[in-house]
Amino acid sequence: MVERFRAFSFVDRITRLEPGRRIEGQYTVPATATRFPASLMAEAVGQLAAWAAMSHVGYAYRPVAGLAGETRYHGTIAPGQTLELEADIERCDEEAIAYGGKASIDGRCVIELNHCVGPMLPMEEFDAPDAVHADFETLRGPGAPAGRFSGVAAPVIKLIEHVGGEKLRAELHVPAEAPFFGDHFPRRPVFPGTLLMDCLSTLALQLAREAPSLQGAELAPSKFTDVKIRSFTAPGQTLELQVDLQSATAEAAQLKLAARAEGKGVATARIEIARRQ
């Protein structure tokens, strides 16, 4: 499992499973990890739910990123800390998984996901079913070896339009090669949707800081809503990112996010950037 899942796998152990209903697990960010974006906490919850889905359908299908109605951030995580993960399965069959979940650190919720849906696609397109089954048994038993993840590199984002306090457009150059492609996925490398949301939230933070009511404030993403991943992004692709400021108060800014490839929609979402509590 170390060689197969070492660069983008965020479940160390599955501690409880109620087939088709609920799953719990853990993930410890290695103390040596250099960069662990907050979006990867959502990735960890999603991966836990994916293990429940894959085991439920006998590893014939696997879920991919689709819809996330609401993701709320209540805290951050630092290298060396452990996420206690849980997901409640609302529906799981060969077409889709619907779920909600959360992650906590020392009993304090740091992220919660509500109304998420992941379409199910044939496992054979993405990975070897027998290998995935073996990995699941490892997670249910001794657990994955610690310290597998070293961090993700900062994305290469180039600004192409900046309308102060209103809009940002940029190009994201997805690397042709990166360690995370080995996990996501072995047979069909795909740029993770959570890393795409991390790139968009970086631009959103920059634009929110320009709102007169928030200038000088310490800001952070507090909520994503209406996230829709419409298509896969392959290694080496260039995406056009756009962030539009919708409104701002003394406490938070609301922004609209979009990503396109060759003029076609890849992802959309809305984000709230708020003053840190």
Side-chain angles (χ1 to χ4, degrees):
M1 185 172 191
V2 176
E3 292 303 316
R4 283 175 41 77
F5 288 99
R6 63 184 305 170
F8 206 75
S9 295
F10 305 114
V11 179
D12 288 337
R13 186 185 302 275
I14 295 170
T15 56
R16 180 184 176 192
L17 177 66
E18 297 178 30
R21 297 181 57 191
R22 182 176 175 83
I23 187 169
E24 298 176 7
Q26 297 176 331
Y27 177 71
T28 299
V29 180
T32 55
T34 55
R35 182 170 180 267
F36 192 87
S39 64
L40 295 188
M41 296 191 296
E43 179 75 34
V45 177
Q47 289 187 10
L48 183 73
W51 283 114
M54 292 185 292
S55 63
H56 190 64
V57 298
Y59 311 97
Y61 298 86
R62 69 148 300 125
V64 296
L67 309 175
E70 180 184 69
T71 301
R72 289 183 173 270
Y73 291 89
H74 302 294
T76 58
I77 187 169
Q81 291 185 309
T82 297
L83 290 171
E84 298 292 339
L85 308 168
E86 57 186 84
D88 289 302
I89 313 304
E90 300 163 11
R91 166 196 170 186
C92 184
D93 53 35
E94 295 179 353
E95 294 184 356
I97 178 177
Y99 69 95
K102 68 178 183 178
S104 302
I105 300 174
D106 297 328
R108 176 178 58 90
C109 178
V110 290
I111 191 170
E112 57 180 318
L113 283 66
N114 299 304
H115 311 302
C116 300
V117 178
M120 298 283 262
L121 296 177
M123 178 71 78
E124 291 279 0
E125 295 182 17
F126 299 92
D127 206 343
D130 288 347
V132 175
H133 187 184
D135 292 335
F136 176 80
E137 294 302 324
T138 296
L139 295 178
R140 285 283 283 156
R148 306 181 310 283
F149 179 71
S150 61
V152 292
V156 179
I157 302 175
K158 178 183 176 182
L159 285 178
I160 56 177
E161 183 181 4
H162 183 185
V163 181
E166 296 182 17
K167 178 172 70 174
L168 283 175
R169 288 175 58 238
E171 287 183 345
L172 167 64
H173 298 286
V174 175
E177 296 182 358
F180 54 74
F181 285 128
D183 290 358
H184 201 273
F185 301 96
R187 290 182 174 176
R188 184 178 183 178
V190 173
F191 185 63
T194 47
L195 292 186
L196 175 55
M197 290 299 123
D198 175 57
C199 296
L200 286 164
S201 67
T202 297
L203 292 174
L205 270 169
Q206 180 178 338
L207 191 58
R209 291 187 180 111
E210 298 175 1
S213 60
L214 293 171
Q215 287 183 4
E218 186 177 0
L219 304 176
S222 58
K223 181 171 64 174
F224 277 94
T225 55
D226 301 326
V227 176
K228 297 180 177 67
I229 306 295
R230 303 178 184 276
S231 63
F232 292 134
T233 298
Q237 272 195 285
T238 296
L239 301 182
E240 180 187 314
L241 309 183
Q242 183 165 327
V243 178
D244 295 281
L245 182 66
Q246 303 289 288
S247 63
T249 67
E251 298 302 321
Q254 310 291 330
L255 303 99
K256 185 178 179 181
L257 313 177
R260 302 178 184 86
E262 299 179 349
K264 297 181 180 179
V266 170
T268 56
R270 296 181 182 276
I271 190 172
E272 178 181 88
I273 302 291
R275 290 179 181 267
R276 284 191 183 273
Q277 299 299 317

